[in-house]
Amino acid sequence: MQKRILGNSGIEVSALGLGCMGFSHAYGKPTEKKEAIKTLQQAVDMGYTFFDTAEIYGTYDNPYDNETLLGEAFEHYQDLVIASKFGIRFDLEAKVTPYPIIPDASPERIRKSIDGSLKRLKRDYLDIYYQHRIDPRVEPETVAEVMAELIKAGKIRSWGISEANEEYLRRAHAVCPVTAIENRYSMMARWHESLFPLLEELNIAFVAFSPMANGLLTGKYGKGTTYDKEFDYRSKMPQFTDEGIEKNRELLELIAATAQKHKATSAQISLAWMLCKKPYIIPIPGSRKIERLMENAGSASVLLTAEEIAELDDKLEKISMSDVFGGTKIIQK
C-alpha cells in the first residue's frame, strides 16, 4: 500500500489506517477474539501499518477490551504504528445506550491512562497518543505540558487531538507541537475543512474517522435494514433510518456513478475523494471483514483529478442530505 507521513512527526504510515473500534463495540456484537486477531494480522499482510484504538474502545463489561485485543494480535509486530487515546470514560450509571461519555483530561488521569494503555497494548511506547475529546475544565496548555512530559519520558513519540477546533489546536501546539488531528470527515461531514489552512501552516495531519459516514457511503445499506438496538449504534444514527436512506438517495447515486466511471466501488470513491484532495489526509475506515479491508486498500490506487474533486465538492454543496451521526453524547460531571 502507498505510504504517507504523519504530520510533522516524520512517522511513515500506510495511506489508509484501520479503525479498530468495531471489533469490540458499536457495530454489533464484538467479534470473536480468534477471528479478530486473524483479521488484524491479515490486515498487516495487506499493507496496513497504522492501527487506531482507544482506552474506552471495549465492551460494556470491559472498556479496555480493544487495547487488549490489539496487544495480543500485534505482540510480535513491533514495526506497526499504533495510536490510542485518553481523556474520556463511559458514564456507566446512565440508563441509555450508547452510554454518554465524560471528559477527563486531568494530568493525573492522563498519566494513569498511558501506563494502562502501554501495558494492555504490550508496547514500550505509542507512536501517537490522542486527546479523545476536549475537556472544558482543563486548559490545552496543561494537556500539552503533560504530552511533552510523556514524549521526554519515551512513552509516546507524538500526540494529537480528536475533534479539535482551531483555538484549542493553536494553544496546545504552541506548548508541544501537535502531529495530527483525528476528526470526523466524509462526504456527509465536511465542517472541519475550515481547518485545512491551519493544518497546512503547522504541518499537522488530518486522520479522518468515519470516512464513509459510518458505512452508509458504501451503498450497501437500504431501506428496511434493521440493527441490534443494544450493540449497534447504527440503530440510532439518522442516516440509516428509512427516511435518511431516501433523503440520501441522490448522494449515493452520485458516488455510484463516479465509481462506475473509475471501475471502482462506492466505498473506494468515498475514500479516494479525500486521499486525492490533500496529501496529509489519512482515512481510518473501521471495517472488520477481510473483503472490506481489501476493498478499502484498493482506494489508494483510485486517482481522481483536482477537477473531478472540485466537481464533486460543488455537487455535495447542493445535494440534500440527512443529518449524520455526530458522536456519542458528552456530559459533564
Side-chain angles (χ1 to χ4, degrees):
M1 194 188 297
Q2 297 174 14
K3 300 292 192 295
R4 297 203 161 184
I5 300 299
L6 194 60
N8 48 45
S9 69
I11 298 172
E12 187 179 73
V13 297
S14 49
L16 278 88
L18 177 58
C20 300
M21 178 183 72
F23 287 101
S24 298
H25 85 268
Y27 291 94
K29 291 183 179 180
T31 306
E32 192 275 325
K33 181 180 285 188
K34 287 184 179 179
E35 180 185 347
I37 289 175
K38 180 181 178 181
T39 301
L40 288 165
Q41 292 175 346
Q42 286 182 296
V44 178
D45 295 337
M46 292 178 204
Y48 288 88
T49 65
F50 188 28
F51 294 86
D52 183 271
T53 184
E55 182 180 34
I56 68 160
Y57 287 170
T59 64
Y60 293 151
D61 296 328
N62 178 14
Y64 308 119
D65 183 70
N66 202 247
E67 286 186 329
T68 301
L69 172 65
L70 267 64
E72 293 187 33
F74 297 144
E75 183 175 6
H76 303 296
Y77 295 75
Q78 293 301 311
D79 292 335
L80 301 177
V81 177
I82 306 294
S84 194
K85 309 179 191 71
F86 67 89
I88 59 175
R89 57 186 172 86
F90 284 127
D91 180 14
L92 298 177
E93 298 176 358
K95 300 185 184 301
V96 297
T97 56
Y99 288 126
I101 52 179
I102 303 169
D104 185 352
S106 62
E108 297 78 12
R109 174 77 181 185
I110 296 172
R111 295 184 186 105
K112 181 179 179 180
S113 292
I114 184 61
D115 289 341
S117 291
L118 291 175
K119 183 178 180 179
R120 289 184 290 272
L121 288 163
K122 300 183 179 181
R123 242 62 188 175
D124 294 327
Y125 62 86
L126 292 183
D127 296 283
I128 183 163
Y129 198 37
Y130 295 105
Q131 181 176 4
H132 207 153
R133 291 292 185 272
I134 291 172
D135 182 347
R137 298 171 300 181
V138 181
E139 298 295 327
E141 291 83 0
T142 300
V143 176
E145 286 169 0
V146 179
M147 294 300 104
E149 171 192 313
L150 297 182
I151 292 171
K152 185 176 181 179
K155 294 185 178 183
I156 64 174
R157 294 177 67 190
S158 65
W159 80 293
I161 304 168
S162 185
E163 297 287 43
N165 60 55
E166 181 170 354
E167 179 188 2
Y168 195 94
L169 189 53
R170 281 193 181 280
R171 289 173 60 185
H173 185 84
V175 175
C176 182
V178 176
T179 286
I181 63 168
E182 185 177 311
N183 284 20
R184 181 179 301 275
Y185 187 51
S186 72
M187 288 182 170
M188 292 186 73
R190 297 177 58 200
W191 45 83
H192 292 302
E193 287 183 353
S194 62
L195 292 174
F196 284 174
L198 176 60
L199 302 181
E200 291 162 13
E201 174 191 339
L202 302 179
N203 191 16
I204 292 174
F206 190 146
V207 177
F209 74 85
S210 294
M212 291 181 282
N214 305 99
L216 179 75
L217 303 186
T218 63
K220 301 182 187 299
Y221 301 91
K223 289 183 177 180
T225 304
T226 58
Y227 306 93
D228 188 315
K229 292 184 178 180
E230 181 179 1
F231 294 104
D232 198 325
Y233 287 13
R234 287 172 296 188
S235 64
K236 295 180 174 65
M237 294 183 186
Q239 69 266 36
F240 287 100
T241 64
D242 284 355
E243 180 183 3
I245 294 291
E246 182 61 36
K247 196 165 186 178
N248 294 317
R249 183 179 301 278
E250 187 178 356
L251 168 63
L252 297 175
E253 289 176 350
L254 170 65
I255 297 171
T258 307
Q260 184 175 18
K261 176 182 175 182
H262 285 270
K263 297 181 180 180
T265 67
S266 290
Q268 289 172 337
I269 293 300
S270 300
L271 296 168
W273 167 78
M274 61 180 70
L275 284 168
C276 295
K277 180 176 287 193
K278 299 290 183 180
Y280 51 82
I281 297 178
I282 304 166
I284 52 167
S287 302
R288 51 181 177 169
K289 295 181 179 179
I290 295 297
E291 59 269 27
R292 295 286 80 79
L293 293 175
M294 294 179 65
E295 179 183 358
N296 293 345
S299 66
S301 299
V302 178
L303 300 179
L304 301 178
T305 66
E307 291 75 19
E308 286 178 303
I309 292 172
E311 183 180 353
L312 284 170
D313 285 352
D314 182 63
K315 291 179 178 178
L316 292 174
E317 291 286 351
K318 300 172 182 176
I319 287 176
S320 177
M321 304 180 194
S322 74
D323 290 336
V324 64
F325 180 66
T328 304
K329 182 179 180 181
I330 298 177
I331 64 174
Q332 303 296 327
K333 280 198 170 183

